[in-house]
Amino acid sequence: KVGSDIQIRISLSDFEKLLAEYLFMVSSCKGVIVNFYEVSKREDDVFLMSNGASVPISRRKSKEIEDMYADFLFDKIREEMTI
């Protein structure tokens, strides 16, 4: 069901391996995976999500995540222009 939470029992590292091919699914900090399609806005060290939640961005990973999110937004815009 769209908009509902999903619960699974698997280690986070194993789950991240399953999601590795999906470049829009990113670990923003320890224990948190973000779907870039659900990000409404990035502000400093948090993502503001479409459901109103704030998700922290690790300082250690900040530059890497910033680059990944910029690439995601660029690809999304490019896709929209070709439609």
Side-chain angles (χ1 to χ4, degrees):
K1 179 177 161 185
V2 173
S4 62
D5 292 340
I6 299 171
Q7 295 182 8
I8 60 171
R9 294 196 184 273
I10 187 173
S11 73
L12 188 59
S13 62
D14 287 343
F15 188 59
E16 286 176 340
K17 289 175 190 172
L18 291 173
L19 297 176
E21 68 183 274
Y22 303 101
L23 302 178
F24 57 90
M25 300 293 284
V26 176
S27 176
S28 66
C29 64
K30 187 175 181 178
V32 177
I33 298 174
V34 171
N35 177 346
F36 283 154
Y37 282 105
E38 295 299 323
V39 172
S40 296
K41 185 177 180 183
R42 180 175 185 245
E43 286 187 355
D44 299 322
D45 59 349
V46 298
F47 285 119
L48 300 177
M49 305 304 291
S50 61
N51 67 356
S54 295
V55 177
I57 300 169
S58 165
R59 286 186 209 165
R60 184 178 57 82
K61 294 176 152 185
S62 182
K63 177 65 175 143
E64 175 188 2
I65 291 172
E66 178 182 342
D67 292 344
M68 294 172 80
Y69 188 56
D71 289 345
F72 167 79
L73 291 176
F74 180 76
D75 288 344
K76 188 175 171 186
I77 291 168
R78 190 172 55 198
E79 286 175 13
E80 290 172 0
M81 291 179 72
T82 60
I83 293 176

